[in-house]
Amino acid sequence: MTGSQGSSKTQSQDSSAADSSEPEHSPAAVEWAHRRLQKKRRFRSNLVTGVVINCFFVAAWPFSGTQYFWPGWSLGVCCVLLLLDAWQTFTYGPITDKEISNECSDMETGSHINIKP
């Protein structure tokens, strides 16, 4: 009796351990998630850097002796670059099999070439 109780206890422990473990992900999905996390981390770093530099410029502006708000150029360029970085970081998803199939079909038919005679 102890032998059957021990084996049933082991089976229940194995099934509960399998239920609580994380699901397996494909290597491609893990690689894509890793790259996406790196992009998000880089974006946050760029955002903080831009804010710090532009705060320094705005704080230095009153001491420059000019009435012209020259830090506006830095603010504008920084905002445009951060918007482009955010767009690339947060809008693109993984490439799907359908997209790959469509691209291969376009290449085979020559419709990927947009040169008109």
Side-chain angles (χ1 to χ4, degrees), residues 37-84:
L37 289 170
Q38 284 178 327
K39 285 181 179 183
K40 287 180 178 181
R41 191 173 286 177
R42 187 190 71 225
F43 175 76
R44 284 191 296 267
S45 174
N46 290 343
L47 180 65
V48 169
T49 302
V51 168
V52 168
I53 289 172
N54 283 300
C55 284
F56 173 76
F57 287 157
V58 170
W61 169 64
F63 301 106
S64 70
T66 62
Q67 291 183 357
Y68 176 70
F69 186 68
W70 53 266
W73 289 101
S74 174
L75 287 165
V77 170
C78 188
C79 286
V80 167
L81 293 175
L82 283 171
L83 285 173
L84 291 172

Side-chain angles (χ1 to χ4, degrees), residues 60-107:
W61 169 64
F63 301 106
S64 70
T66 62
Q67 291 183 357
Y68 176 70
F69 186 68
W70 53 266
W73 289 101
S74 174
L75 287 165
V77 170
C78 188
C79 286
V80 167
L81 293 175
L82 283 171
L83 285 173
L84 291 172
D85 193 21
W87 179 43
Q88 183 181 15
T89 301
F90 297 108
T91 59
Y92 292 118
I95 297 173
T96 63
D97 291 336
K98 183 178 179 183
E99 289 173 319
I100 293 171
S101 176
N102 289 342
E103 188 66 23
C104 289
S105 297
D106 289 347
M107 289 175 62

